[in-house]
Amino acid sequence: MFDIQEELKKLPGKPGVYLMHDEKDEIIYVGKAISLKNRVRQYFQTSRNKGLKIEQMVTHIARFEYIVTDSELEALVLECNLIKEHRPKYNTMLMDDKTYPFIKVTVDEPYPRVMMARRMAKDKAKYFGPYTSAGAVKDTIELLRKLYQLRSCSRRLPKDIGKERPCLNYHIHQCKAPCQGYLSQEEYRASIQKALQFLNGSYEEVLKDLQQKMEAASEALEFEKAIEYRELIGSVQKIAQKQKITDTAGDDRDILAMAVEEEDAVVQVFFVRGGRLIGRDHFYLKVAKEETSSEILSSFLKQFYAGTPYIPSELMLPEEVEDQEVIEEWLSARRGHKVHLRVPKRGSKEKLVELAAKNAKMVLDTDKERLKREEGRTIGAVKELEKILGLKGIVRMEAYDISNTSGFASVGSMVVYEKGKPKRNDYRKFRIKSVQGPDDYASMEEVLTRRFTHGLKEKEEGKGTGRFTAFPDLILMDGGRGQVNIALGVLEQLGLAIPVCGMVKDDSHRTRGLYYQNEELPIDRNSECFKLITRIQDEAHRFAITFHRQLRSQGQVHSILDDIPGVGPARRKDLMRPFENLEAIRNATVEELKELPSMNEKAARDIYNFFH
């Protein structure tokens, strides 16, 4: 039994991170402290005014644990990682988990390529961005390839020059085929240099050049070519217009501001790179009513910049934030250079912060109704379900389904919904091992037994974040009495007490009610709860069928690959990893096949010849 008052006496006066657990042993709050002894004790002192959120949280604390660190900076880093991993209920949470793409130019290669990258690697390539729109990145890359006829292939040049025929891009005049040696390395790199200038914002020269080419083609009555140049001019102008000058200093900075209304907050971020506004984005946070704007901004900075791949040298804020010095130190360590948090008081920078604040307010006002509707579809629907079943505190729900074709390759699916939303990282697939033929009950029994046995084993081993550690507050079965009894039997055998509800269907295979505690409960077909149940049912079914199709297609590919001379288990696995399907293997070149770890020249040619 955990004695909170006794454990409080053992707390060290050192920096670290503390984790609060509820009666289900779930982490409900993560915090950091310069002195664990002083900070954690404050939660349990009745004389202190802690605020509504903290007071409510304290009533749910069953135990706490702590991790001692060497410094406050280490504590901040650990706090960020734990919040991101556990998403505790009482922490101010960033609702969006967005990633931003870069444009990568492989200048370290003899014949460089321009491509999209999801993160900034520590290599010798040049990176531009991050950009807020993957579509804009793709458009820009496509435009650069058309303008400067750059290669998009992954051939190793100059080593592979002349080994294969030029691809389609050469024939449609979108690549000058350096793979054939049709232009020198110097000529190709001159085109790359122009592309780099374009990415740095020099549009005037390319626009002037395209204008001259369009006029020349028009005078020569080559109207199709003139139209192509005109379209390219339009594309360049469109991209140039998006990247307006905002700062003559040419620095990289993010400009942040926010709007708050009750328990909803929106943070607006303007991304300025090289003095140009390359994009903006907004982020939703769930906050407590008594939280200050400084506390909310501090939480946002720690969560957002723990995950973003690029940190600029300067962050412009509307006000100073909690832990400002230690956040600056942490960001500087992540960036590798000094990062400043500044609050501009006058001039153009202050106006940009004001503009960001206006945008945040506008987004919050516009999306208020949408947020309410979304809450009705998710949390509201879960509350309706709680009312129907007479339960409380449903956060995590798991639903299961079985898929097979006449008993062949039976599979099970487990889908997870938290607070009415799918949690796809927690979805799991099962290949049925112990059941022969189309026995859905026996297959379901195997799936549930394996799922909860794994979970219990992980808990015994102290794995707080194992693949099966988190247990549901409610299990939803795709069927009535039979499926529910299977689940209850498994849980009883394993000594678990988890509510199980069946989703009963009518003769047309549509949900007509819920089966719970030996009783069929009616459900309003027009309610948000009914729509949520239907979505969960469809998702479990979709996930099972997708996995089953995947296994069937793999089975077909394997049977064909077995017929190729010299292809054994190792080479068969190597072929299945990079190629999505049989068609992709069929279309692969000898050079692409040779790249595989277990492949040599002869084996690659044998595979190629087999399909051709």
Side-chain angles (χ1 to χ4, degrees):
M1 185 70 180
F2 190 90
D3 188 328
I4 287 178
Q5 293 305 321
E6 282 300 313
E7 295 300 324
L8 286 173
K9 295 174 186 176
K10 301 175 187 176
L11 285 163
K14 293 181 178 180
V17 173
Y18 54 92
L19 299 91
M20 303 299 194
H21 293 254
D22 64 9
E23 60 279 358
K24 294 180 181 176
D25 210 31
E26 289 180 3
I27 295 169
I28 58 173
Y29 189 77
V30 173
K32 71 165 184 62
I34 300 173
S35 168
L36 286 164
K37 185 178 186 177
N38 296 340
R39 185 75 186 95
V40 178
R41 280 181 172 181
Q42 289 174 2
Y43 288 99
F44 302 96
Q45 291 172 357
T46 53
S47 59
R48 294 186 69 90
N49 182 17
K50 297 184 281 285
L52 189 63
K53 181 179 84 168
I54 298 300
E55 282 183 3
Q56 189 182 18
M57 179 195 78
V58 171
T59 63
H60 293 290
I61 296 173
R63 71 178 185 92
F64 62 80
E65 59 178 316
Y66 57 88
I67 303 165
V68 176
T69 60
D70 289 332
S71 66
E72 192 184 359
L73 175 62
E74 279 187 24
L76 184 140
V77 173
L78 183 57
E79 179 196 30
C80 291
N81 291 336
L82 290 171
I83 288 173
K84 189 175 181 183
E85 184 177 341
H86 297 290
R87 299 188 69 81
K89 180 180 179 179
Y90 288 99
N91 282 93
T92 297
M93 291 308 305
L94 177 62
M95 308 304 286
D96 309 278
D97 192 14
K98 302 173 183 176
T99 58
Y100 296 101
F102 293 82
I103 293 177
K104 176 180 179 180
V105 185
T106 58
V107 292
D108 54 319
E109 294 180 342
Y111 292 85
R113 293 166 293 154
V114 180
M115 62 183 75
M116 185 167 80
R118 280 289 173 186
R119 61 185 184 87
M120 217 171 165
K122 290 182 179 178
D123 54 22
K124 295 177 183 176
K126 276 188 180 293
Y127 290 85
F128 297 85
Y131 295 87
T132 54
S133 165
V137 168
K138 289 172 184 173
D139 290 344
T140 304
I141 291 170
E142 187 181 348
L143 176 61
L144 288 172
R145 287 172 180 168
K146 285 179 181 176
L147 284 173
Y148 304 113
Q149 298 188 19
L150 305 174
R151 74 188 186 103
S152 59
C153 65
S154 56
R155 294 180 187 179
R156 293 178 297 178
L157 304 181
K159 184 182 175 183
D160 291 345
I161 286 179
K163 287 187 178 179
E164 294 288 331
R165 290 177 296 177
C167 66
L168 178 64
N169 285 344
Y170 168 72
H171 297 290
I172 62 173
H173 310 295
Q174 286 191 15
C175 179
K176 291 182 179 177
C179 60
Q180 304 303 305
Y182 291 167
L183 78 166
S184 67
Q185 191 172 321
E186 291 73 24
E187 289 171 317
Y188 185 85
R189 291 196 79 91
S191 296
I192 284 288
Q193 200 57 42
K194 288 179 181 177
L196 291 171
Q197 288 171 0
F198 183 95
L199 288 168
N200 280 315
S202 299
Y203 307 117
E204 293 78 11
E205 189 181 330
V206 69
L207 284 169
K208 187 179 175 183
D209 182 47
L210 288 170
Q211 186 71 31
Q212 288 172 353
K213 286 179 177 177
M214 182 181 74
E215 289 169 0
S218 185
E219 286 174 14
L221 304 180
E222 295 176 336
F223 298 118
E224 284 187 13
K225 198 173 276 188
I227 289 168
E228 282 180 28
Y229 289 129
R230 188 185 69 191
E231 288 174 350
L232 286 173
I233 288 170
S235 298
V236 173
Q237 288 172 337
K238 187 179 175 185
I239 286 168
Q241 192 179 6
K242 285 181 180 176
Q243 299 188 350
K244 298 181 177 74
I245 290 283
T246 59
D247 182 4
T248 52
D251 294 332
D252 289 0
R253 59 168 53 94
D254 286 355
I255 296 149
L256 298 90
M258 85 178 169
V260 184
E261 190 168 312
E262 295 183 345
E263 295 182 349
D264 294 313
V266 168
V267 175
Q268 179 82 39
V269 185
F270 287 171
F271 302 97
V272 177
R273 302 292 178 262
R276 294 173 182 271
L277 178 65
I278 65 164
R280 64 180 182 176
D281 212 340
H282 58 268
F283 304 86
Y284 294 99
L285 295 102
K286 275 290 175 191
V287 300
K289 287 181 182 178
E290 70 275 8
E291 275 188 284
T292 65
S293 52
S294 172
E295 290 171 332
I296 296 167
L297 267 176
S298 177
S299 294
F300 174 79
L301 291 172
K302 288 186 278 189
Q303 290 180 61
F304 179 66
Y305 289 102
T308 189
Y310 179 77
I311 299 168
S313 58
E314 202 169 51
L315 305 182
M316 292 292 172
L317 307 174
E319 61 181 288
E320 291 191 355
V321 296
E322 276 194 341
D323 307 320
Q324 182 149 324
E325 287 183 14
V326 72
I327 289 174
E328 275 189 338
E329 189 183 349
W330 167 61
L331 291 172
S332 300
R334 286 206 70 224
R335 176 180 163 82
H337 296 286
K338 186 65 180 170
V339 175
H340 298 279
L341 304 186
R342 303 196 194 280
V343 182
K345 301 296 183 187
R346 60 181 181 273
S348 60
K349 291 171 183 174
E350 186 194 18
K351 284 184 170 57
L352 280 168
V353 172
E354 287 175 3
L355 182 63
K358 285 177 184 174
N359 275 265
K361 181 74 169 69
M362 186 174 65
V363 168
L364 190 58
D365 290 344
T366 305
D367 284 7
K368 205 185 304 176
E369 288 305 315
R370 185 188 64 79
L371 288 169
K372 281 182 182 174
R373 286 197 304 272
E374 177 66 19
E375 192 165 305
R377 290 178 70 249
T378 55
I379 296 170
V382 174
K383 289 192 182 302
E384 284 180 31
L385 182 60
E386 286 179 347
K387 195 173 179 181
I388 293 170
L389 302 179
L391 295 171
K392 284 185 179 178
I394 297 176
V395 177
R396 180 185 174 100
M397 296 184 286
E398 291 180 4
Y400 297 84
D401 196 15
I402 302 294
S403 179
N404 63 64
T405 304
S406 301
F408 168 73
S410 290
V411 299
S413 70
M414 165 183 138
V415 300
V416 179
Y417 274 63
E418 281 194 1
K419 296 179 180 176
K421 293 181 182 178
K423 192 179 182 186
R424 291 187 173 84
N425 287 345
D426 283 12
Y427 285 16
R428 296 290 176 258
K429 305 168 182 173
F430 301 84
R431 289 188 71 164
I432 306 302
K433 298 174 181 178
S434 63
V435 180
Q436 298 296 321
D439 189 337
D440 283 359
Y441 284 173
S443 298
M444 185 62 75
E445 185 176 13
E446 181 190 323
V447 167
L448 291 168
T449 302
R450 282 165 57 189
R451 182 263 178 270
F452 288 105
T453 303
H454 280 311
L456 289 168
K457 188 178 178 185
E458 286 173 357
K459 284 177 184 286
E460 283 174 21
E461 292 171 353
K463 292 182 181 177
T465 56
R467 294 175 69 243
F468 294 98
T469 310
F471 280 10
D473 303 304
L474 178 68
I475 295 171
L476 293 166
M477 303 302 296
D478 188 38
R481 183 194 298 268
Q483 292 279 17
V484 168
N485 287 339
I486 289 290
L488 289 172
V490 170
L491 295 172
E492 186 181 356
Q493 196 174 0
L494 295 173
L496 295 171
I498 300 170
V500 181
C501 174
M503 299 178 282
V504 186
K505 297 172 187 163
D506 59 20
D507 294 337
S508 303
H509 211 68
R510 293 177 302 185
T511 304
R512 72 167 187 237
L514 301 173
Y515 183 81
Y516 182 62
Q517 292 185 335
N518 294 319
E519 187 181 350
E520 187 173 321
L521 305 170
I523 184 168
D524 180 2
R525 286 180 176 271
N526 297 314
S527 67
E528 291 296 344
C529 178
F530 178 81
K531 292 171 188 173
L532 174 62
I533 292 292
T534 304
R535 286 198 298 274
I536 294 172
Q537 207 168 25
D538 291 345
E539 182 70 347
H541 193 52
R542 179 201 65 80
F543 194 54
I545 285 176
T546 303
F547 182 40
H548 188 247
R549 282 177 184 156
Q550 180 189 340
L551 288 182
R552 288 208 318 267
S553 66
Q554 283 178 359
Q556 290 162 5
V557 172
H558 286 184
S559 65
I560 293 171
L561 296 183
D562 286 339
D563 294 334
I564 305 173
V567 173
R571 283 180 179 153
R572 189 166 64 234
K573 279 182 186 174
D574 274 351
L575 283 166
M576 294 303 298
R577 284 193 188 105
F579 299 105
E580 293 180 358
N581 50 40
L582 192 63
E583 196 61 27
I585 299 172
R586 190 193 308 275
N587 294 333
T589 63
V590 173
E591 295 305 315
E592 287 172 331
L593 293 167
K594 246 168 66 180
E595 292 290 325
L596 301 176
S598 65
M599 213 66 69
N600 55 33
E601 176 84 20
K602 183 180 181 305
R605 292 210 170 274
D606 285 344
I607 294 166
Y608 182 87
N609 292 336
F610 179 85
F611 287 110
H612 295 84

